[in-house]
Amino acid sequence: IEPTLGFPLAIRPRFQLNAIIRKDPDIAVMSNFPDELVLPFLWAQDGFSEPSSDMASAIRFGLAAPHRLPLLGGVVLLVLGVTMLLVSVGWWAYWTRRRTMEEEIPLN
């Protein structure tokens, strides 16, 4: 288990299915069985012993993200703020120039 995120780096789940066979005196073959017999008939195992390269890179990104993403977010917000400021100054200049031109030209 990765100690920072708690993400499992290896997991091997296994399961087993059993059939329970009970003694039946009416059937000759089963008359000598114990009262109850548990007979395993299916085993399955899945999972991974170590993380794949994709998973390892995702874990590395997850560990580095808290240090890198605030800087990236700050830069994006700064660029967005400067862009909004330039747009508003441009709009103000356009609107002031337009009003000045309307005052100079009489519409009579």
Side-chain angles (χ1 to χ4, degrees):
I1 294 181
E2 198 285 318
T4 306
L5 299 175
F7 189 80
L9 298 177
I11 186 167
R12 296 303 253 169
R14 299 175 182 146
F15 69 92
Q16 173 180 332
L17 295 177
N18 299 323
I20 299 174
I21 301 174
R22 292 192 172 91
K23 180 178 182 176
D24 189 352
D26 296 335
I27 300 173
V29 176
M30 296 178 69
S31 63
N32 294 330
F33 276 26
D35 288 337
E36 194 171 86
L37 176 67
V38 178
L39 183 65
F41 71 92
L42 176 70
W43 295 272
Q45 175 177 316
D46 197 9
F48 51 92
S49 297
E50 61 184 30
S52 66
S53 61
D54 291 338
M55 185 185 295
S57 64
I59 291 170
R60 275 193 294 278
F61 175 78
L63 291 172
H67 303 292
R68 292 183 184 160
L69 291 182
L71 177 62
L72 178 64
V75 169
V76 167
L77 289 176
L78 184 64
V79 168
L80 183 63
V82 168
T83 303
M84 290 175 64
L85 181 65
L86 290 174
V87 167
S88 63
V89 167
W91 179 257
W92 175 80
Y94 167 76
W95 187 253
T96 304
R97 186 172 180 192
R98 184 173 173 204
R99 281 190 14 215
T100 305
M101 291 178 76
E102 285 178 1
E103 291 174 1
E104 291 177 0
I105 303 172
L107 297 174
N108 297 6

